[in-house]
Amino acid sequence: MEKKIIQIFKNLPDLEPASRLEGFILAKIAREQNKLIREKKFLVWTGLFGSALAAVYAISVFVQEIWQSDFWRIATLAFSDVNIIARNWRDYAFSMLETFPAMHAAILLVPVFVLLISLNAYFNLVNNNKHHHV
């Protein structure tokens, strides 16, 4: 049985692929890689632009909230009544902490965090492309 299989394969002519098949396959792979890179760049740029806009908006809302809150009024005491604040610094510090708009500050951190993640993805994408195409 084994001899018959060996004889069958010996009698077959060598199969040779088309002469340009290798180049065609490699070109197709390169096109697909370039397409993936373009898609990743688009997503990264969208993330960067969107998170930057969201961060600017969140900063403006945060600054507006600071100006309208008691936090700013208490903070300005540091410039006008330094002696009183020096004597009562613990109460002053607790008042500052109590009136700080923490929720707005936490909301501000979300787009900044997404912006940093997008920057990391962008730099990783740039570094990976540089090393692959040298």
Side-chain angles (χ1 to χ4, degrees), residues 21-47:
L21 182 62
E22 180 183 8
F24 177 75
I25 291 172
L26 291 176
K28 182 78 171 173
I29 290 171
R31 282 194 302 269
E32 286 297 318
Q33 285 177 339
N34 288 336
K35 181 182 172 186
L36 285 173
I37 290 169
R38 279 193 313 271
E39 289 173 358
K40 286 180 182 180
K41 280 184 180 180
F42 175 75
L43 288 175
V44 166
W45 279 108
T46 303

Side-chain angles (χ1 to χ4, degrees), residues 86-100:
R87 280 185 265 140
N88 302 312
W89 65 273
R90 285 187 181 157
D91 292 332
Y92 179 74
F94 285 130
S95 296
M96 292 287 286
L97 284 174
E98 188 177 76
T99 58
F100 183 73

Side-chain angles (χ1 to χ4, degrees), residues 22-86:
E22 180 183 8
F24 177 75
I25 291 172
L26 291 176
K28 182 78 171 173
I29 290 171
R31 282 194 302 269
E32 286 297 318
Q33 285 177 339
N34 288 336
K35 181 182 172 186
L36 285 173
I37 290 169
R38 279 193 313 271
E39 289 173 358
K40 286 180 182 180
K41 280 184 180 180
F42 175 75
L43 288 175
V44 166
W45 279 108
T46 303
L48 280 170
F49 186 70
S51 61
L53 285 177
V56 167
Y57 177 73
I59 287 170
S60 68
V61 169
F62 179 70
V63 168
Q64 184 180 9
E65 183 63 27
I66 290 282
W67 284 102
Q68 293 175 355
S69 69
D70 289 333
F71 178 81
W72 182 250
R73 290 184 199 103
I74 294 171
T76 56
L77 288 175
F79 302 112
S80 60
D81 299 326
V82 177
N83 291 332
I84 295 172
I85 291 173

Side-chain angles (χ1 to χ4, degrees), residues 122-133:
Y122 173 74
F123 288 128
N124 284 337
L125 188 64
V126 168
N127 285 339
N128 286 341
N129 287 339
K130 187 185 296 182
H131 295 306
H132 288 299
H133 299 306

Side-chain angles (χ1 to χ4, degrees), residues 16-22:
E16 290 292 323
S19 62
R20 296 181 303 198
L21 182 62
E22 180 183 8

